[in-house]
Amino acid sequence: MMNPSRDCFKMIIVDDEHEIRQGLKNADYASLNIEVVDVCENGLEALKSMDQSPVDILLTDIKMPLMDGLELIQKVSQRHPYTKKIVLSGYGDFEYAKRGIEYGVLDYLLKPLDFEDYYGVLAKTTAILNEEREKLLRQANLERKAKLSAHLLRKNFLGELLRSSLTEETIELDSASAEVMLEMDGTYAVCVLRFQSHPPRPSYDKDSEWGLIVFTLDNLLQDLWDENGYGYHYVDPYNGQCALIVANAEWIGSLEAGRTDLEGELDRIVKALRRFRGLFKSHLAYTIGPIVHRATRIRHSYLDAEFKFEDGPANEEAVRVVSENPSAGNETKTGQTNGKRMVLEVKRFIEHNYDRTITLDDVAKHVHLNASYLSYLFKEITGMNYIDYVTEFRIEKAKTILSESNWKIYEVGEMVGYENPRYFTLIFKKYTGQTPLEYRNTTYKSHAKDG
């Protein structure tokens, strides 16, 4: 097959007459970007040469011993369909030409050869080859881009599916683009594998080393999980945490029956990953989230599986299957206690840092939790989104400052973490129904009236 990455086109010459072979070999091919790689005296010799090293152009005589040119052309058409075939013969029999055309012969030249005609035929041949080469390059590039695009779409979709609350319509549309098969009323569970040094990246890793770890995990789980038809996997690029979405009826059935089949498979996967301990340099542990019965609830199984890690140190091969029932006993109560403690620490962090920009990632790093899990936990414990809590806390601080001081409005905004005065005014009015200045004036009037 033609190789689109080569600089010049490879050509083989086949003729049983020595003088003709040498004369053709010594012609000027450089200007046509052609290299003659072999010269053979019969079709059998040429076929053997081409099977070992395929060429782009075959120039062959018709009448030769052992294997004639027409038989050679027929076999080359079957084995090397991208090779361009040119017939050279001293026989002007139209039947030869017609039979050659049936096998895809590009052109037909008669002896004695007119080299002007010869170079013209070769120029036409290389033009066709160049066009095909460009087409192959474009096709290969498009296929590579499509493959990368599908991989990226799948990675982004699975990350959103696990971390965000998606509607059924969004899941249906995005899963199709990401080439992920999910039934809306399907039954699922999520297993979480993580390094015991989770959540921050191990300190020994340089960026390039960490990239290799994530790449290796992604490829291994593709082979060990996705390719076996168990479901889909996602590797968090920040901390290397792996989520395995169980979409296989057999494993779901074993979970529902209370058997340990899935645990045994996870044990095998973890052991397979241990072969790369020199790369990972940390033990892997796993938990299994509850079974859920809607694709929109896959996120809940994932977050509950994460919660099992926050409930205490996980042993390397520890597995606990958590019921989706909210009254699941002491384990749930212990988890709630730890969760409340984490949320209190988050609130203390906000109280001491509200006067500057603090993102959810900043807070998550402070309390050593995954950001998506912290967002879920904070809402679960407080009933409020993290950003709403921070905003309300800042607005309450701003109201106090406005009512008790003469600081300018933009200065008050900066004191509570808003560098943009206009944005501060908009947020303040959204939460209080008044601009900061209106609030201050109302407060002063109220104080004067009370006085």
Side-chain angles (χ1 to χ4, degrees):
M1 180 175 175
M2 184 177 66
N3 185 346
S5 66
R6 293 199 305 237
D7 292 330
C8 63
F9 299 108
K10 309 298 183 184
M11 177 175 169
I12 187 170
I13 296 171
V14 191
D15 198 296
D16 63 334
E17 296 183 50
H18 176 75
E19 293 78 7
I20 293 178
R21 290 199 305 270
Q22 293 306 309
L24 289 170
K25 181 180 179 182
N26 295 326
D28 179 18
Y29 297 103
S31 61
L32 294 166
N33 198 31
I34 294 174
E35 177 189 359
V36 176
V37 295
D38 204 355
V39 177
C40 304
E41 60 179 319
N42 60 66
L44 190 61
E45 182 184 336
L47 187 62
K48 179 181 178 182
S49 174
M50 292 179 68
D51 283 344
Q52 293 175 343
S53 181
V55 298
D56 301 298
I57 304 171
L58 164 65
L59 174 66
T60 181
D61 190 10
I62 289 292
K63 193 175 181 180
M64 298 179 294
L66 300 179
M67 180 186 289
D68 66 27
L70 287 178
E71 186 179 355
L72 171 63
I73 289 168
Q74 182 182 12
K75 292 185 180 299
V76 168
S77 297
Q78 295 169 347
R79 300 187 190 186
H80 309 286
Y82 288 89
T83 297
K84 304 306 172 191
K85 299 168 285 290
I86 302 171
V87 167
L88 173 64
S89 177
Y91 298 86
D93 191 336
F94 179 72
E95 286 304 314
Y96 279 113
K98 190 168 69 171
R99 288 180 61 191
I101 290 171
E102 291 174 1
Y103 300 133
V105 169
L106 187 63
D107 219 318
Y108 192 92
L109 295 167
L110 293 175
K111 298 177 183 177
L113 184 62
D114 183 324
F115 272 86
E116 185 175 346
D117 291 343
Y118 180 50
Y119 289 138
V121 169
L122 291 180
K124 181 177 72 172
T125 304
T126 56
I128 293 172
L129 287 168
N130 273 318
E131 185 178 339
E132 291 183 354
R133 176 178 287 183
E134 291 299 321
K135 184 178 179 180
L136 284 173
L137 286 171
R138 287 195 299 270
Q139 183 179 342
N141 191 40
L142 287 172
E143 289 175 352
R144 185 176 69 254
K145 285 183 177 179
K147 187 175 181 180
L148 290 172
S149 177
H151 179 77
L152 183 60
L153 285 172
R154 187 178 303 113
K155 176 181 175 182
N156 291 341
F157 167 69
L158 292 173
E160 287 296 306
L161 180 69
L162 295 167
R163 290 192 297 256
S164 305
S165 180
L166 303 181
T167 64
E168 289 190 1
E169 182 181 10
T170 299
I171 292 175
E172 286 180 345
L173 291 173
D174 291 356
S175 63
S177 300
E179 299 180 1
V180 172
M181 293 288 292
L182 293 176
E183 298 291 337
M184 286 303 107
D185 57 352
T187 303
Y188 306 96
V190 180
C191 311
V192 172
L193 285 74
R194 67 163 57 165
F195 295 110
Q196 288 187 308
S197 57
H198 180 90
R201 294 184 184 186
S203 59
Y204 58 78
D205 281 311
K206 298 177 182 177
D207 285 346
S208 59
E209 292 175 328
W210 181 254
L212 180 60
I213 288 174
V214 172
F215 176 81
T216 303
L217 278 171
D218 190 32
N219 281 273
L220 287 173
L221 291 176
Q222 176 70 29
D223 293 338
L224 296 169
W225 189 260
D226 299 45
E227 295 299 330
N228 283 323
Y230 300 158
Y232 303 96
H233 80 281
Y234 172 78
V235 180
D236 190 311
Y238 174 72
N239 53 39
Q241 177 170 285
C242 310
L244 303 178
I245 299 174
V246 186
N248 178 279
E250 179 183 347
W251 298 130
I252 291 294
S254 73
L255 282 176
E256 290 177 325
R259 301 197 306 271
T260 59
D261 304 26
L262 178 58
E263 297 173 22
E265 184 61 29
L266 291 172
D267 286 341
R268 285 189 287 274
I269 289 174
V270 169
K271 288 175 182 176
L273 295 176
R274 283 184 194 149
R275 293 187 293 115
F276 296 85
R277 284 284 292 277
L279 177 62
F280 296 151
K281 304 177 186 176
S282 175
H283 294 292
L284 279 166
Y286 65 83
T287 58
I288 304 175
I291 294 173
V292 295
H293 300 284
R294 299 292 297 175
T296 53
R297 292 189 60 79
I298 289 174
R299 169 174 174 263
H300 297 279
S301 182
Y302 170 67
L303 293 173
D304 281 344
E306 275 196 322
F307 191 83
K308 297 294 290 180
F309 282 103
E310 312 308 334
D311 195 32
N315 295 323
E316 184 173 273
E317 296 187 61
V319 179
R320 291 187 293 175
V321 180
V322 186
S323 169
E324 197 174 16
N325 185 344
S327 57
N330 292 333
E331 290 182 1
T332 303
K333 292 178 182 177
T334 303
Q336 289 176 343
T337 301
N338 289 336
K340 288 178 180 178
R341 188 163 57 247
M342 288 291 183
V343 168
L344 284 175
E345 179 59 32
V346 169
K347 289 182 176 180
R348 280 195 290 268
F349 183 82
I350 293 170
E351 184 178 351
H352 289 93
N353 296 277
Y354 69 89
D355 59 341
R356 65 179 181 86
T357 300
I358 45 172
T359 66
L360 180 62
D361 283 337
D362 294 332
V363 183
K365 289 176 183 177
H366 175 73
V367 295
H368 305 295
L369 288 179
N370 177 277
S372 61
Y373 173 72
L374 176 59
S375 176
Y376 165 79
L377 181 64
F378 195 90
K379 177 71 177 292
E380 196 76 8
I381 299 295
T382 67
M384 295 179 66
N385 291 325
Y386 162 79
I387 190 63
D388 290 336
Y389 179 85
V390 173
T391 303
E392 287 195 11
F393 187 90
R394 284 171 165 166
I395 296 303
E396 289 302 317
K397 287 292 182 181
K399 287 165 65 177
T400 300
I401 297 171
L402 287 166
S403 62
E404 296 179 355
S405 73
N406 292 317
W407 291 103
K408 295 178 179 179
I409 301 301
Y410 79 86
E411 293 174 326
V412 175
E414 290 177 351
M415 290 178 182
V416 295
Y418 295 105
E419 295 182 4
N420 187 318
R422 185 171 179 275
Y423 183 71
F424 168 58
T425 298
L426 291 173
I427 290 293
F428 191 93
K429 186 172 184 179
K430 177 182 176 181
Y431 276 80
T432 66
Q434 297 177 301
T435 66
L437 184 59
E438 289 171 343
Y439 178 83
R440 170 175 276 169
N441 291 337
T442 301
T443 305
Y444 279 164
K445 287 178 183 178
S446 176
H447 286 170
K449 183 178 179 181
D450 291 342

